[in-house]
Amino acid sequence: LPEKARAWITRALVTGRVTSGTALVRGRLSDFPFDASNGLFEGRLNVSDTVLDYEAGWPWVGEIEGEVVFRGRGLEINAVAGKIFDSSVQKINAAIPDLFLHEPQLTIRGEVRGATTDVLRLLRESPLKDKLANFVAGLSASGQVTLNLDLLIPLSVQPNQIKGTLQFRDSALHYVDK
């Protein structure tokens, strides 16, 4: 693998257990990654209690239960359970479609449910703090929230692209005067 992709995988998959795995290779290894449809490579790892540190400065996803799949040029991590802070990951898909690109890109799509206070913590402790520090200063919260998140993270110096929606349930946001 190219250095950027190898470095990301080494840093991002912090800890965890592989509970089972399979590998399938069809074709000559010298033809890998089989771009000319002259073979197939697929490795599947079922993981448990795994920590994913997908991007420096962002909160880790911990306690992941799911699958890591290497197929052809790509990598995909599919989590069916996990935690960000005290919030529950309902599902997360992290994918690098082409690990062999000079500038590979990571996409993350997921749904997280938990306390509205965890959203404030995310805004205060992630790179979003640079843009939202004035908004979240003095803000307190209560209730529950569902966060649908869509991130595009270039494994280079390019800026991240972030989209997300929040669905509040019995929540309240309050500014505390100092």
Side-chain angles (χ1 to χ4, degrees):
L1 289 175
E3 179 56 32
K4 286 182 183 178
R6 188 172 49 251
W8 182 85
I9 292 169
T10 301
R11 184 189 56 78
L13 295 171
V14 178
T15 63
R17 289 189 342 258
V18 174
T19 57
S20 65
T22 60
L24 173 64
V25 179
R26 287 193 192 129
R28 295 188 336 231
L29 288 179
S30 60
D31 292 334
F32 180 80
F34 307 117
D35 291 330
S37 299
N38 53 352
L40 172 68
F41 169 79
E42 181 176 282
R44 293 180 171 269
L45 304 170
N46 292 314
V47 296
S48 180
D49 201 24
T50 299
V51 172
L52 177 64
D53 180 10
Y54 52 93
E55 175 75 340
W58 287 89
W60 290 4
V61 181
E63 301 178 26
I64 290 176
E65 303 292 327
E67 184 177 48
V68 177
V69 179
F70 292 90
R71 183 176 174 87
R73 292 179 154 269
L75 164 69
E76 197 166 334
I77 301 168
N78 294 301
V80 295
K83 291 274 192 189
I84 297 178
F85 302 135
D86 291 325
S87 294
S88 297
V89 170
Q90 303 301 302
K91 59 185 172 194
I92 284 193
N93 172 272
I96 301 175
D98 193 337
L99 292 162
F100 293 84
L101 288 176
H102 177 66
E103 299 291 342
Q105 294 190 335
L106 168 69
T107 59
I108 297 180
R109 291 183 176 90
E111 181 179 307
V112 181
R113 293 183 186 171
T116 307
T117 53
D118 275 356
V119 171
L120 286 182
R121 184 175 174 192
L122 174 78
L123 296 176
R124 289 180 176 129
E125 296 181 15
S126 74
L128 294 173
K129 69 182 175 232
D130 297 335
K131 293 189 183 244
L132 300 173
N134 291 337
F135 173 73
V136 297
L139 196 60
S140 67
S142 62
Q144 298 293 304
V145 68
T146 298
L147 169 63
N148 291 295
L149 194 57
D150 191 351
L151 300 173
L152 174 63
I153 302 171
L155 303 186
S156 66
V157 297
Q158 298 294 321
N160 297 341
Q161 296 177 24
I162 303 160
K163 290 191 300 187
T165 60
L166 292 169
Q167 297 172 339
F168 294 93
R169 293 185 313 276
D170 299 320
S171 293
L173 297 173
H174 303 280
Y175 274 105
V176 179
D177 288 331
K178 294 184 178 184

